[in-house]
Amino acid sequence: MSAHSNPSKVVVIGGGYAGTLAANRLRARPDVDITLVNPRPDFVERIRLHQYVARTGEATIDYGTLLGKGIKLVVDCATRIDTTARTVQLASGRRVDFDYVIYAVGSTGATPASVPGAVEFAYDVAEWESARRLRDRLDGVPLDAPVTVVGGGLTGIETAAELAERGRRITLVCGRALAPTFSASGRRYIATWLSRHGVAVLEGVSVSEVRQDAVVLADGGVRPSALTIWTAGFGVPDLAAASGLRTDGLGRLLTDETLTSVDDDRVIAAGDAAAPSGRPLRMSGYAAGPLGARAADTVLSRIAGTEPAVIDLAFSGACVSLGRRAGIRQLARKDDTALNLYIGGRLGAAIKEVTCKFVVAKRIRREAAQPGSMGWPKGGPRSVGVASAARGVASA
């Protein structure tokens, strides 16, 4: 009997940065039957959604240009992973059999129901559908009308900057601080750029209510807002919990350091929805690729009967665009703590654009052409003692 007559069936749930790269990398073995399940027919460049909203760029790519030969794309939503029957149930009613699942569902926006009016009146830019609704709504808002962006993280900064450069009147409500993960000098650079472009930055204050035409601040102040955009925080889909798999407090799948579920060694996580040892890495496009690659390698190791490797990613910093003509590259230590060193201006913008293109062209497309070719900065295994303790608690 041919060694390829009974291929291992791997279902990748989620076609974002981590899932798409993982699907391509699985092709390193010819005896793997790969199915990618994704709710959309096109790949979404989440790191460009703020451009899509502002009509300064597009954010979708045809999967036909990204996926390697032989990968089956199923446009549907996974509703449950049945680990007993080894099937993934889809919203259409279809079931897809698996030997292994790569859980790469990504993250979502997290508009809080605890803030009155936020769910009813605020828009988010975390996903394609919500970004499209926001873009359509923005078309009906006069250019001189006040727009509020809630959230001083990287998504909030990029959204506020993109719209401000297009002539919008923007207020950025940061909560505790502007760009809290950046160095003091990096934060000053961002604050200066925003100020020069007319963005009112409110630090140390949060939004306690969203109204159709205003936001109410925690200090009692009321600011007119013809449109409110919520970028503070992220959530994850509830597929893991709905499937009876253990998750962390946010809903990320609990795994060990090889990204294997603590409940089932045939379920491997990648990207924003993974919580290895209960200590997830920063949600980011930077981490998604290496985590997708490591998840695929874990599956391939299990098929081969060898011991999977553990996470070994080193961070190097983060990039933020400030409109189309400026940006900032914040440098960081391997553990993702910021150094007091950054690159700004047009060079910072160029680095951000090269980074966005690199993720698609040099990671995903190259992996389709040469499975197993992707490398990444190595940080070495994380603390084994802490990881083991975290797994023990999760399994209790």
Side-chain angles (χ1 to χ4, degrees), residues 42-379:
D42 296 307
F43 177 86
V44 176
E45 288 190 275
R46 286 187 66 179
I47 52 181
R48 293 193 187 275
L49 282 176
H50 62 288
Q51 291 180 248
Y52 173 74
V53 166
R55 295 188 182 275
T56 59
E58 295 301 320
T60 57
I61 301 174
D62 183 354
Y63 273 117
T65 71
L66 297 179
L67 294 176
K69 184 178 179 181
I71 297 173
K72 296 185 288 291
L73 174 65
V74 174
V75 180
D76 209 331
C77 293
T79 58
R80 187 170 182 271
I81 303 167
D82 188 332
T83 55
T84 301
R86 291 188 191 169
T87 61
V88 175
Q89 299 177 13
L90 306 180
S92 63
R94 178 181 173 185
R95 295 173 181 248
V96 183
D97 296 333
F98 71 82
D99 293 304
Y100 295 93
V101 162
I102 292 183
Y103 186 81
V105 296
S107 55
T108 64
T111 307
S114 60
V115 176
V119 174
E120 293 85 353
F121 301 120
Y123 292 76
D124 75 75
V125 69
E127 298 179 88
W128 165 253
E129 291 79 8
S130 56
R132 183 173 57 190
R133 289 193 294 270
L134 172 56
R135 178 164 128 150
D136 291 343
R137 176 69 182 92
L138 197 61
D139 287 342
V141 176
L143 193 63
D144 61 349
V147 174
T148 302
V149 178
V150 181
L154 308 191
T155 302
I157 291 168
E158 291 193 321
T159 302
E162 204 76 27
L163 295 176
E165 193 175 69
R166 301 285 287 175
R168 293 280 178 183
R169 289 176 52 200
I170 306 295
T171 295
L172 179 60
V173 183
C174 298
R176 58 192 178 97
L178 176 71
T181 59
F182 276 35
S183 64
S185 58
R187 292 196 297 271
R188 284 194 297 271
Y189 176 83
I190 294 170
T192 299
W193 188 98
L194 292 172
S195 177
R196 287 176 178 170
H197 288 78
V199 178
V201 177
L202 306 182
E203 294 187 88
V205 63
S206 59
V207 171
S208 61
E209 181 184 353
V210 178
R211 298 174 181 171
Q212 191 168 14
D213 58 357
V215 294
V216 180
L217 305 180
D219 61 10
V222 179
R223 296 183 70 97
S225 182
L227 175 64
T228 299
I229 305 170
W230 200 280
T231 69
F234 288 92
V236 296
D238 64 357
L239 176 61
S243 302
L245 299 168
R246 276 174 286 184
T247 64
D248 70 0
L250 192 64
R252 290 169 289 213
L253 182 68
L254 285 172
T255 76
D256 64 14
E257 289 294 292
T258 70
L259 298 174
T260 303
S261 166
V262 297
D263 295 308
D264 194 301
D265 62 9
R266 291 179 177 272
V267 179
I268 293 88
D272 289 352
S277 304
R279 298 183 298 139
L281 284 73
R282 171 167 57 89
M283 289 183 174
S284 61
Y286 178 89
L291 288 177
R294 182 56 75 214
D297 289 349
T298 292
V299 171
L300 295 174
S301 291
R302 296 201 184 284
I303 292 172
T306 59
E307 187 67 24
V310 299
I311 302 167
D312 56 358
L313 174 64
F315 282 86
S316 63
C319 295
V320 176
S321 64
L322 297 170
R324 294 298 87 212
R325 295 183 293 274
I328 176 171
R329 172 69 163 103
Q330 171 67 60
L331 301 181
R333 299 179 180 87
K334 289 182 178 182
D335 65 358
D336 207 25
T337 57
L339 294 166
N340 193 30
L341 183 63
Y342 71 89
I343 301 168
R346 290 186 178 274
L347 182 55
I351 293 173
K352 173 62 189 289
E353 182 60 25
V354 167
T355 299
C356 290
K357 291 180 177 178
F358 174 84
V359 170
V360 173
K362 299 299 184 182
R363 281 189 167 177
I364 295 176
R365 285 199 175 112
R366 185 179 179 188
E367 199 67 30
Q370 299 175 284
S373 61
M374 179 189 153
W376 58 88
K378 301 298 195 295

Side-chain angles (χ1 to χ4, degrees), residues 13-28:
I13 305 176
Y17 296 104
T20 305
L21 193 140
N24 282 337
R25 195 174 182 92
L26 288 168
R27 295 174 59 251

